[in-house]
Amino acid sequence: MKHRIALLGFGVVGQGFAEILKNKKQVLEEQFGLDAAIVAVSDVMKGSVYHPDGLSIEDLLAVVKETGKLDDYPEQEGLIRGLNSFETIKQTNADTIVEVTFTDVKTGQPAIDHCQCAFEYGKNVIMSNKGPVALAYAQLKEMAEKRNVRWGFEGSVMSGTPSLRMPVTSLAGNDIYEIQGILNGTTNYMLTRMEDGLSYDEALSEAQKLGYAEADPTSDVEGYDALYKIVILANVVMNYPLKVHEVERMGISHLTNEDIELARQSNRKWKLIAKLKKENGSVVASVKPEMIPLDHPLANISDATNAITYHCDLSGPVTLIGAGAGKTETGFAILIDLINIHRKQL
């Protein structure tokens, strides 16, 4: 029996996920009994196509690579074009909606509305967007549970590195009383290069040339990206209803080469640390640059790598290191959510 998927958004992440489904088709069927079929794609810029029996992934990728549009997807009997995102949710036979649209992180839209619509129509949702999870976690979780559907968002914190699933499953039974993480690869790359002697402006320019930083780097360098991720970790891992405005935030834009040298002389390194700590029945949260000692588990995380340490009462500190972004890595995050929905697991 096919697991039918509709993709909302067909940019880098959507195409990465589609490529994985194409390349792993036999493995998914043999190992998990998962016959995944993309039946619909709706992208506000590229157009949309839907066929209830499934679309050719090869053709989807080929036409987008060639023209950037889905208009040239081959005609066939039963093919429907032009459905917008909400029509795709409501009118297609998809079992699971993969939501990878461009979403305003300040409002969580349109992804929050996409989730609500999908849940109302009895469909699972998988996403990599931070906004909806950070801003509307309790509301969307309750709605999914009431409708008896699944909501996967592993990719919202550290892409394909299982920063949410690992603590919830493999560390179950522990009291995780503190979490510390390097959750933004752009700033970690910049701090690494500043240790090599580059100025802040030079490190930023290099990060932009390499595609790590946007033309407007505010979300990364001022700590907003990491802030949303730490809010997700508080809600999901610590089961604490932390809100965005409750997090102390400071970025790295004020750091100078003198600051870097001061850390070096004291056998420390600057890292943008996102932190959660249980105190007196609540959780204190911050995102700010800290000088950490060289023997700290996060001190030697370099370049654009992400890492997170869970401080546990039973197992002790556990550190997870991996990529925090990337086409294939985020595509994998969507895949693992899909596999676990299929297996009826977390």
Side-chain angles (χ1 to χ4, degrees):
M1 184 176 177
K2 286 184 179 179
H3 191 116
R4 299 178 295 263
I5 298 162
L7 279 165
L8 304 184
F10 203 54
V12 171
V13 175
Q15 291 174 48
F17 172 62
E19 289 173 0
I20 290 172
L21 288 186
K22 176 175 70 74
N23 297 333
K24 295 280 188 177
K25 179 176 176 58
Q26 184 176 347
V27 171
L28 293 173
E29 291 182 5
E30 291 178 353
Q31 290 190 6
F32 307 108
L34 174 58
D35 182 9
I38 296 176
V39 297
V41 177
S42 180
D43 186 290
V44 69
M45 300 298 292
K46 298 178 178 67
S48 71
V49 286
Y50 163 56
H51 197 289
D53 295 334
L55 301 166
S56 163
I57 296 178
E58 290 83 355
D59 288 340
L60 287 170
L61 294 170
V63 297
V64 167
K65 182 178 181 180
E66 185 173 342
T67 68
K69 300 283 186 180
L70 293 168
D71 299 350
D72 292 331
Y73 184 87
E75 281 293 343
Q76 64 186 104
E77 186 177 351
L79 186 73
I80 297 172
R81 300 181 187 270
L83 298 180
N84 66 31
S85 57
F86 292 98
E87 290 168 340
T88 297
I89 294 169
K90 297 174 184 179
Q91 298 177 25
T92 68
N93 64 348
D95 304 299
T96 295
I97 305 298
V98 172
E99 212 290 348
V100 284
T101 64
F102 178 80
T103 293
D104 184 343
V105 74
K106 294 180 181 179
T107 65
Q109 298 294 5
I112 289 177
D113 286 347
H114 287 156
C115 288
Q116 292 175 330
C117 182
F119 296 156
E120 286 172 4
Y121 278 77
K123 301 186 178 187
N124 309 304
V125 174
I126 299 172
M127 58 175 27
S128 58
N129 288 320
K130 300 183 295 290
V133 194
L135 299 175
Y137 174 73
Q139 167 194 347
L140 293 175
K141 180 176 182 284
E142 180 182 9
M143 190 174 184
E145 289 173 350
K146 281 185 176 179
R147 299 288 178 168
N148 197 30
V149 292
R150 307 294 296 280
W151 181 32
F153 43 83
E154 180 61 61
S156 64
V157 175
M158 280 175 62
S159 187
T161 305
S163 58
L164 297 175
R165 182 165 283 106
M166 189 194 80
V168 170
T169 57
S170 299
L171 298 180
N174 280 284
D175 174 24
I176 300 177
Y177 57 88
E178 184 172 355
I179 297 174
Q180 296 173 305
I182 295 172
L183 303 180
N184 182 268
T186 300
T187 50
N188 202 57
Y189 178 84
M190 289 173 61
L191 290 172
T192 301
R193 296 297 287 133
M194 288 176 73
E195 289 171 1
D196 294 335
L198 270 64
S199 69
Y200 171 86
D201 289 336
E202 289 169 337
L204 174 58
S205 177
E206 187 172 283
Q208 288 172 324
K209 288 176 183 177
L210 291 170
Y212 294 146
E214 302 288 341
D216 179 359
T218 303
S219 178
D220 292 324
V221 300
E222 298 302 341
Y224 290 101
D225 175 66
L227 182 154
Y228 281 87
K229 293 172 180 177
I230 206 70
V231 169
I232 294 171
L233 285 159
N235 279 267
V236 177
V237 177
M238 288 186 164
N239 196 31
Y240 184 83
L242 184 71
K243 304 298 182 186
V244 168
H245 69 270
E246 297 174 322
V247 182
E248 177 190 0
R249 177 199 54 79
M250 179 185 294
I252 69 165
S253 58
H254 66 285
L255 291 180
T256 65
N257 292 92
E258 288 74 18
D259 294 317
I260 300 296
E261 182 57 29
L262 176 64
R264 193 192 319 273
Q265 291 176 3
S266 57
N267 291 316
R268 293 172 179 264
K269 288 187 177 183
W270 284 102
K271 295 294 180 184
L272 184 66
I273 301 293
K275 183 186 295 184
L276 297 169
K277 189 172 184 179
K278 291 182 178 178
E279 289 186 3
N280 302 319
S282 65
V283 170
V284 177
S286 63
V287 174
K288 57 187 178 181
E290 295 185 22
M291 281 198 301
I292 59 175
L294 297 181
D295 60 355
H296 191 288
L298 301 180
N300 293 310
I301 305 303
S302 60
D303 298 323
T305 304
N306 282 196
I308 188 166
T309 298
Y310 307 92
H311 294 269
C312 309
D313 66 334
L314 301 178
S315 62
V318 176
T319 300
L320 180 66
I321 303 169
K327 177 181 181 180
T328 301
E329 293 85 352
T330 309
F332 166 71
I334 294 168
L335 176 68
I336 195 61
D337 279 335
L338 178 65
I339 290 172
N340 282 293
I341 286 173
H342 176 72
R343 296 193 298 196
K344 297 181 171 59
Q345 296 179 356
L346 289 171

